[in-house]
Amino acid sequence: IDGCDAEDHELDEEEIENEVKEWDEGGKSHCGYGDSVHDTLMSIGQSIHKVVGEPSDGVQGAMQSVGNWFQEASYAVRDLKRGKMDV
Protein backbone atom coordinates (compact mmCIF):
# COMPACT_ATOMS: atom_id res chain seq x y z
CA ILE A 1 0.00 0.00 0.00
CA ASP A 2 1.45 3.32 -1.05
CA GLY A 3 2.50 5.53 1.87
CA CYS A 4 1.77 2.90 4.54
CA ASP A 5 3.74 0.05 5.92
CA ALA A 6 2.38 -3.47 6.27
CA GLU A 7 1.90 -3.12 10.03
CA ASP A 8 -0.37 -0.08 9.59
CA HIS A 9 -2.38 -1.96 6.96
CA GLU A 10 -2.81 -4.94 9.31
CA LEU A 11 -4.04 -2.63 12.07
CA ASP A 12 -6.53 -1.01 9.69
CA GLU A 13 -7.91 -4.42 8.67
CA GLU A 14 -8.15 -5.45 12.35
CA GLU A 15 -10.02 -2.24 13.23
CA ILE A 16 -12.47 -2.84 10.38
CA GLU A 17 -12.98 -6.47 11.45
CA ASN A 18 -13.70 -5.42 15.05
CA GLU A 19 -15.94 -2.49 14.12
CA VAL A 20 -19.48 -2.76 15.51
CA LYS A 21 -21.87 -2.98 12.57
CA GLU A 22 -25.60 -2.33 12.73
CA TRP A 23 -28.05 -4.98 11.50
CA ASP A 24 -29.37 -3.72 8.17
CA GLU A 25 -33.04 -4.31 9.09
CA GLY A 26 -33.01 -2.44 12.41
CA GLY A 27 -33.85 -3.74 15.86
CA LYS A 28 -31.87 -3.95 19.08
CA SER A 29 -29.60 -6.79 18.02
CA HIS A 30 -26.59 -6.22 15.80
CA CYS A 31 -26.83 -9.91 14.84
CA GLY A 32 -30.43 -9.93 13.67
CA TYR A 33 -31.87 -11.81 16.63
CA GLY A 34 -35.36 -10.98 17.86
CA ASP A 35 -35.72 -8.67 20.84
CA SER A 36 -36.41 -11.48 23.33
CA VAL A 37 -33.24 -13.39 22.33
CA HIS A 38 -31.23 -10.17 22.36
CA ASP A 39 -32.54 -9.18 25.80
CA THR A 40 -31.75 -12.65 27.17
CA LEU A 41 -28.19 -12.57 25.84
CA MET A 42 -27.62 -9.06 27.22
CA SER A 43 -28.98 -10.12 30.63
CA ILE A 44 -26.62 -13.10 30.71
CA GLY A 45 -23.71 -10.84 29.75
CA GLN A 46 -24.56 -8.36 32.52
CA SER A 47 -24.64 -11.20 35.06
CA ILE A 48 -21.24 -12.43 33.91
CA HIS A 49 -19.79 -8.89 34.12
CA LYS A 50 -21.05 -8.60 37.71
CA VAL A 51 -19.01 -11.69 38.61
CA VAL A 52 -15.83 -11.25 36.55
CA GLY A 53 -15.86 -7.50 35.87
CA GLU A 54 -15.84 -5.59 32.62
CA PRO A 55 -13.87 -7.11 29.73
CA SER A 56 -10.38 -5.89 28.89
CA ASP A 57 -9.79 -4.22 25.51
CA GLY A 58 -8.52 -7.53 24.11
CA VAL A 59 -11.56 -9.45 25.30
CA GLN A 60 -13.85 -6.67 24.05
CA GLY A 61 -12.24 -6.90 20.62
CA ALA A 62 -12.65 -10.67 20.56
CA MET A 63 -16.31 -10.32 21.56
CA GLN A 64 -16.87 -7.86 18.71
CA SER A 65 -15.22 -10.25 16.24
CA VAL A 66 -17.49 -13.07 17.40
CA GLY A 67 -20.52 -10.76 17.16
CA ASN A 68 -19.55 -9.78 13.61
CA TRP A 69 -19.21 -13.46 12.69
CA PHE A 70 -22.71 -14.18 14.02
CA GLN A 71 -24.04 -11.17 12.12
CA GLU A 72 -22.56 -12.45 8.85
CA ALA A 73 -23.99 -15.92 9.56
CA SER A 74 -27.40 -14.36 10.24
CA TYR A 75 -27.25 -12.50 6.92
CA ALA A 76 -26.40 -15.74 5.12
CA VAL A 77 -29.29 -17.64 6.73
CA ARG A 78 -31.70 -14.78 6.04
CA ASP A 79 -30.63 -14.55 2.40
CA LEU A 80 -30.79 -18.32 1.97
CA LYS A 81 -34.35 -18.37 3.34
CA ARG A 82 -35.29 -15.59 0.92
CA GLY A 83 -33.59 -17.34 -2.01
CA LYS A 84 -31.18 -14.44 -2.49
CA MET A 85 -27.83 -16.16 -2.02
CA ASP A 86 -25.10 -14.65 -4.17
CA VAL A 87 -22.62 -17.47 -4.59
Side-chain angles (χ1 to χ4, degrees):
I1 298 176
D2 195 29
C4 253
D5 64 20
E7 186 176 313
D8 286 341
H9 181 67
E10 288 175 17
L11 289 175
D12 290 343
E13 287 180 356
E14 188 175 306
E15 287 173 4
I16 291 169
E17 181 179 314
N18 292 333
E19 173 184 8
V20 175
K21 301 170 188 137
E22 298 292 328
W23 179 249
D24 67 359
E25 294 185 16
K28 292 181 187 179
S29 175
H30 295 296
C31 297
Y33 295 118
D35 287 348
S36 62
V37 172
H38 173 79
D39 291 343
T40 300
L41 292 172
M42 293 297 105
S43 177
I44 291 167
Q46 288 173 349
S47 296
I48 291 170
H49 293 319
K50 286 179 185 177
V51 173
V52 300
E54 293 299 315
S56 66
D57 289 343
V59 171
Q60 185 69 32
M63 289 169 46
Q64 288 173 339
S65 293
V66 169
N68 288 346
W69 184 90
F70 274 98
Q71 184 185 63
E72 292 299 321
S74 295
Y75 282 137
V77 170
R78 178 198 64 190
D79 293 347
L80 181 63
K81 284 175 54 179
R82 293 179 180 174
K84 297 181 180 180
M85 289 296 290
D86 292 327
V87 187

